[in-house]
Amino acid sequence: MNSRIKYRPDIDGLRAIAVLSVIVYHAKISFNNSYILNGGFLGVDIFFVISGYLISSIILKEIKEKKNFSFLNFYDRRLRRIIPVLFVVFLFTFFLGFLFLEPNFFTDLSKSIISSLLFFSNIFFYFTGIEYDAPSSLTIPLLHTWSLSIEEQFYIIFPILLLTIYNLQKNKYFIIISIIIISILSAEFLSKYNQDLNFYILSSRVWELMCGALCALIKINGYEDKISKKNYELIHLIALILIFSSFFLFSDENRNPSLMTLLPILGTVLIILFDKNNTFIIKILTLKILVFVGLISYSLYLWHYPFFAFSRIIFDNNHPNIYLIKLAMPFIILIFSILT
């Protein structure tokens, strides 16, 4: 039997919105002395929900169809998906670092590459004292790999956890919802006392990934069918409002993740759950251009930060061609993303 899950172009559209919001946020484009999409970093939180949903769907479908689950195949698929392009990005970044970075910064880059390959760069960046939203962080080429480490740490423990939960016939929803509640309350508490640790640590992000897992469990049992389809248009509109309003309402001053992060997460959950009616919002999400961007979103995410960082290291704002360089940057990132 084929354990592949049904392809959903609307989720690729959602991926496109997430990655574009992150890229715009990191580009630091200003208008009237204000940055555009101050809350664009929330695209990463959206990615976590999507990842939790897709991974859970794959695992649950394999269990349902084959009555078995292969850990070896699961980790083999994840490594094949993640490592090749990641390795290319690291080689390219290492080469640029060798050419343009001072020795101490090049040493730090080398350490970040090793930590990223071993999937603990989130811990590495926390202990090096790097604040994600600090101006100095914009010149650290691989800072964005913290989110990949979060996902991989989650993937190590998640299959065992999901299998255990799935085998509990009566309590599986209660357990997942309990994990979500404990994690988000923990994130809310920690965000008040150690924002940097809260930002980088897995326990504060688990609830976002588990929201995706909850969606997968609900959909595999068909419970979302109980909602009248005439309400889908309204549900999708509310979802998009929640997502886009958070991009504009949030800023680096907000604690994240926290209870406020529920806004984009709830919007993402609503889109994932209610996909069966071809509403206006779904038609937008399945536009070919958005689906295309969604399909290369992983490469876009990996390439954009090193290019932004090195452009800031090599060219200062007084460079005579700085505006031309900034205009060329999106096209360069796009070409490299398509090639990989």
Side-chain angles (χ1 to χ4, degrees), residues 98-113:
F98 179 77
L99 292 178
F100 297 108
L101 292 180
E102 296 177 7
N104 56 326
F105 291 113
F106 181 64
T107 300
D108 290 340
L109 174 65
S110 302
K111 290 177 181 178
S112 70
I113 289 175

Side-chain angles (χ1 to χ4, degrees), residues 89-90 93 109 112-113 116 125 140-146 305-306:
V89 171
F90 285 168
T93 304
L109 174 65
S112 70
I113 289 175
S116 299
F125 288 124
I140 300 173
L142 296 176
L143 180 60
H144 65 320
T145 61
W146 70 269
Y305 208 91

